[in-house]
């Protein structure tokens, strides 16, 4: 898709709607069917894909506050703090962190607008292509349906009630709630199945969607609706394609040479070409302060929580996580002497440990007194790379962001197998055996990531005792691997593997444990972060309200 971005001069004319009427699909100043050429269609497709950057009208802050990467929802979970300088900076995101969200919250508005602007671009491209005489029309429409499916999937799991419309509908007549949540998921699945049947197995241009992107997204959407046999079916399509494999080392996800390779299934394409207009503006301000300006004078938003860091503790006898809930009984601090999963130090910075080959110190933390340490690592490449921007934008590079990676799909299949199991343990049910094999594959990747010769250096075995064990497979292990323990293990593995990738909050919601987990988290964490004192989450607050400005400008169509 970096290639497709180079031919997007048409996009501002042909696909971007006016600020004052973002969802208007009236064909103003567009190509007629006779005027459409391969180049103009390429421009339309490019513009539609560019919507994934969530960077419309050069509004950097709207991309940051309403990001497609969904880091702000990790802040709603037990995985991350807002960061930055004090709770008043980007107060809208602080509202998300303490679960006190008002309808004028900027994140609500930016997230809503960014996704619907993306849908508007998709619909304009669809309408043009449907009327054109063009090769591979069905495949092109399949790509666009997959894009639309992502936007609606994202909106439907975030907001209380959304309007759903296709390219043939007039959005000015559609009310929110015209379809309920279940009906919207059904429409998303129908789009994706059509797309799967229409798209090829591979594309010449990197980042363009293939049928396996649609299959992977189908696995995720079906997990959201607990349709477990369908999750298994579509995960198997991805797995059996033979096109994906786990990274050799967990840190590979932060290396440019692995863009669109190995685990990358659905990724937003970023680039430092063309004056950095296609960098990751969504996560731009999340760069660590980096004493000595290794990554520039970053704003240090989005830090790992102490609870997340503690989750990487392992049992020194087995190398397994503490599934019994005691992981948070001990804080992993500079005096911690127990064993750890190395993915911790490949996910966040810890004082005294290496950070991309440099020593992470308190000077890397913008507001240590409020938020502590644990700056995020995953979005930052080796600072010695010539591709990293020097100065502002801080730490920017051409590193893609994976919305779906292969490890996610393996773990979703494992989850589907566990939920469909009828036996009590692995001695009785082969589905539990297979689920354990998949979880152990993920853990094997973590174990082999402890390599002192791997560059840049992020692990220091002299300062941290790394130990990752596998869930046992002998007879006693089969009895140990009960359905309930398997469920806990899969869910815990998703947290460790996908930490700070915008996944955790949505997992907690679909598991039905968000309120319980977050209230316990905020109560325990308040001893370290006093701003959590008195904070709480209720079931009614899980989904975001429709932005008040959208209601006021909807002529009565939208209501909370």
């Amino acid at each position: 898709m970096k290639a497709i971005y180079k031919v997007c001069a048409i996009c501002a004319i042909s696909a971007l709607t006016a600020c004052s009427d973002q969802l208007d699909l009236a064909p103003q100043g567009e190509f007629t069917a006779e005027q459409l050429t391969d180049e103009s269609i390429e421009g339309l497709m490019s513009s539609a894909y560019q919507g994934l950057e969530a960077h419309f009208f050069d509004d950097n802050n709207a991309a940051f506050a309403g990001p497609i990467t969904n880091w702000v929802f990790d802040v709603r979970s037990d995985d991350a703090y807002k960061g930055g300088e004090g709770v008043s900076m980007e107060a809208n995101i602080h509202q998300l962190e303490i679960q006190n969200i008002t309808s004028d919250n900027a994140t609500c508005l930016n997230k809503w607008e960014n996704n619907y602007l993306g849908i508007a671009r998709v619909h304009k491209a669809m309408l043009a292509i449907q009327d054109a005489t063009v090769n591979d029309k069905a495949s092109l429409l399949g790509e666009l349906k997959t894009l639309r499916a992502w936007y609606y999937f994202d909106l439907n799991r975030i907001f209380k009630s959304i309007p759903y419309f296709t390219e043939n509908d007039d959005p000015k007549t559609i009310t929110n709630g015209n379809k309920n949540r279940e009906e919207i998921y059904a429409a998303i699945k129908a789009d994706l199945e059509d797309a799967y049947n229409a798209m090829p197995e591979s594309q010449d241009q990197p980042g363009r969607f293939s049928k396996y992107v649609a299959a992977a997204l189908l696995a995720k959407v079906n997990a959201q609706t607990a349709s477990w046999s369908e999750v298994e079916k579509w995960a198997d399509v991805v797995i059996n394609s033979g096109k994906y494999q786990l990274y050799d080392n967990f840190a590979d996800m932060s290396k440019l040479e692995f863009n669109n390779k190995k685990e990358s299934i659905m990724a937003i394409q970023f680039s430092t070409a063309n004056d950095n207009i296609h960098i990751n503006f969504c996560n731009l301000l999340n760069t660590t302060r980096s004493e000595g300006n290794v990554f520039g004078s970053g704003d240090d938003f989005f830090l790992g929580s102490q609870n997340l860091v503690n989750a990487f503790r392992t049992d020194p006898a087995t190398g397994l996580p503490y599934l019994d809930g005691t992981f948070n009984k001990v804080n992993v601090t500079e005096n911690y002497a127990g064993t750890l999963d190395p993915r911790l130090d490949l996910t966040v910075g810890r004082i005294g440990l290496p950070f991309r080959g440099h020593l992470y110190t308190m000077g890397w933390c913008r507001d240590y007194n409020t938020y502590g340490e644990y700056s995020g690592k995953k979005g930052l490449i080796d600072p010695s790379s010539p591709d990293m921007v020097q100065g502002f934008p801080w730490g920017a590079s051409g590193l893609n962001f994976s919305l779906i990676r292969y490890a996610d799909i393996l773990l979703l299949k494992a989850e589907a197998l566990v939920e469909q199991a009828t036996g009590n343990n692995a001695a009785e049910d082969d589905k539990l055996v297979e689920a354990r094999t998949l979880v152990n594959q993920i853990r094997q990747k973590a174990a082999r990531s402890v390599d002192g010769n791997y560059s840049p250096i992020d692990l220091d075995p002299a300062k941290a005792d790394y130990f990752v064990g596998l869930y046992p497979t002998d007879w006693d292990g089969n009895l140990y691997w009960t359905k309930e323990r398997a469920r806990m293990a899969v869910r815990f593995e998703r947290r460790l593997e996908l930490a700070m990738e915008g996944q955790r909050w949505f997992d907690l919601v679909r598991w039905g444990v968000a309120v319980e987990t977050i209230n316990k988290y905020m109560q325990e964490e308040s001893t370290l972060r006093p701003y959590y004192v008195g904070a709480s989450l209720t079931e009614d607050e899980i989904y975001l309200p429709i932005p008040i400005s959208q209601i006021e400008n909807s002529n009565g169509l939208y209501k909370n």
Side-chain angles (χ1 to χ4, degrees), residues 235-385:
D236 274 341
V237 169
V238 176
I239 294 166
N240 295 335
S241 73
K243 292 182 175 295
Y244 308 99
Q245 56 185 305
L246 293 174
Y247 294 123
D248 297 324
N249 187 295
F250 189 76
D252 289 342
M253 73 176 70
S254 300
K255 289 177 173 286
L256 293 171
E257 56 262 40
F258 289 98
N259 274 352
N260 302 312
K261 296 177 182 176
K262 293 274 189 175
E263 290 191 29
S264 177
I265 298 177
M266 179 180 180
I268 312 169
Q269 308 293 299
F270 293 114
S271 170
T272 54
N274 301 318
D275 296 323
N276 301 318
I277 61 174
H278 296 303
I279 62 167
N280 186 350
F281 284 100
C282 294
N283 288 50
L284 175 64
L285 302 184
N286 298 342
T287 303
T288 175
R289 175 58 40 111
S290 67
E291 186 177 28
N293 290 323
V294 176
F295 290 100
S297 299
D299 291 271
D300 206 28
F301 284 92
F302 193 32
L303 279 70
S305 70
Q306 187 65 56
N307 185 285
L308 171 65
V309 169
N310 295 345
F312 287 92
R313 293 175 56 226
T314 60
D315 185 320
T318 64
L320 295 174
Y322 289 92
L323 299 183
D324 59 1
T326 61
F327 74 90
N328 204 40
K329 298 295 184 182
V330 176
N331 284 342
V332 176
T333 65
E334 60 182 347
N335 298 319
Y336 177 74
T339 54
L340 291 168
D341 187 315
R343 285 176 291 187
L344 168 60
D345 291 326
L346 297 170
T347 300
V348 298
R350 291 196 296 142
I351 291 174
L353 275 292
F355 191 117
R356 300 289 186 263
H358 299 264
L359 184 65
Y360 182 82
T361 67
M362 192 178 294
W364 289 52
C365 309
R366 182 173 184 178
D367 189 351
Y368 179 86
N369 290 333
T370 304
Y371 296 111
E373 49 192 296
Y374 312 137
S375 302
K377 283 186 174 182
K378 284 185 174 179
L380 296 172
I381 67 171
D382 182 346
S384 67
S385 168

Side-chain angles (χ1 to χ4, degrees), residues 1-2 52-53 67-71 74 150 157 247 253 256 259-260 264-271 278-283 286 302 378-380 397-405 498-503:
M1 216 165 67
K2 285 185 174 66
L52 288 174
E53 296 176 12
I68 196 72
T69 61
N70 283 331
W71 72 269
D74 271 340
W150 177 267
R157 58 186 182 160
Y247 294 123
M253 73 176 70
L256 293 171
N259 274 352
N260 302 312
S264 177
I265 298 177
M266 179 180 180
I268 312 169
Q269 308 293 299
F270 293 114
S271 170
H278 296 303
I279 62 167
N280 186 350
F281 284 100
C282 294
N283 288 50
N286 298 342
F302 193 32
K378 284 185 174 179
L380 296 172
S397 73
L399 185 68
N400 291 347
F401 183 91
S402 289
L403 293 171
I404 309 176
R405 59 184 178 92
L498 303 172
M500 302 185 78
E501 295 182 43
Q503 303 265 12

Side-chain angles (χ1 to χ4, degrees), residues 314-548:
T314 60
D315 185 320
T318 64
L320 295 174
Y322 289 92
L323 299 183
D324 59 1
T326 61
F327 74 90
N328 204 40
K329 298 295 184 182
V330 176
N331 284 342
V332 176
T333 65
E334 60 182 347
N335 298 319
Y336 177 74
T339 54
L340 291 168
D341 187 315
R343 285 176 291 187
L344 168 60
D345 291 326
L346 297 170
T347 300
V348 298
R350 291 196 296 142
I351 291 174
L353 275 292
F355 191 117
R356 300 289 186 263
H358 299 264
L359 184 65
Y360 182 82
T361 67
M362 192 178 294
W364 289 52
C365 309
R366 182 173 184 178
D367 189 351
Y368 179 86
N369 290 333
T370 304
Y371 296 111
E373 49 192 296
Y374 312 137
S375 302
K377 283 186 174 182
K378 284 185 174 179
L380 296 172
I381 67 171
D382 182 346
S384 67
S385 168
D387 188 77
M388 198 193 87
V389 176
Q390 301 300 313
F392 186 83
W394 317 129
S397 73
L399 185 68
N400 291 347
F401 183 91
S402 289
L403 293 171
I404 309 176
R405 59 184 178 92
Y406 188 52
D408 185 0
I409 299 304
L410 290 182
L411 290 170
L412 285 178
K413 181 181 178 182
E415 186 176 348
L417 292 168
V418 170
E419 297 304 329
Q420 293 177 93
T422 56
N424 291 324
N425 55 51
E428 300 175 359
D429 199 308
D430 286 343
K431 286 186 181 297
L432 294 175
V433 174
E434 187 177 358
R436 178 177 54 197
T437 298
L438 292 170
V439 172
N440 278 344
Q441 286 179 20
I442 303 296
R443 295 188 63 75
Q444 284 170 333
K445 178 181 68 174
R448 65 175 177 258
S449 296
V450 184
D451 182 351
N453 296 319
Y454 205 75
S455 179
I457 298 172
D458 280 291
L459 306 179
D460 187 347
K463 293 183 178 179
D465 188 1
Y466 302 115
F467 181 28
V468 177
L470 306 183
Y471 289 100
T473 58
D474 58 16
W475 178 250
D476 288 338
N478 284 339
L479 298 178
Y480 165 88
W481 191 252
T482 63
K483 179 170 180 172
E484 183 56 31
R485 188 171 283 114
R487 178 184 288 121
M488 290 189 294
V490 170
R491 292 182 177 185
F492 211 95
E493 203 66 28
R494 284 190 65 82
R495 186 181 192 189
L496 300 177
E497 176 69 19
L498 303 172
M500 302 185 78
E501 295 182 43
Q503 303 265 12
R504 176 67 171 171
W505 169 257
F506 302 112
D507 279 347
L508 293 175
V509 171
R510 68 183 179 84
W511 293 332
V513 299
V515 171
E516 172 190 355
T517 301
I518 298 307
N519 283 334
K520 180 181 178 184
Y521 159 74
M522 290 192 296
Q523 182 180 16
E524 293 177 346
E525 207 82 358
S526 65
T527 60
L528 296 172
R529 311 290 166 232
Y531 59 81
Y532 279 131
V533 173
S536 65
L537 174 69
T538 67
E539 291 288 344
D540 291 339
E541 295 170 321
I542 288 176
Y543 294 101
L544 298 187
I546 298 175
I548 187 63

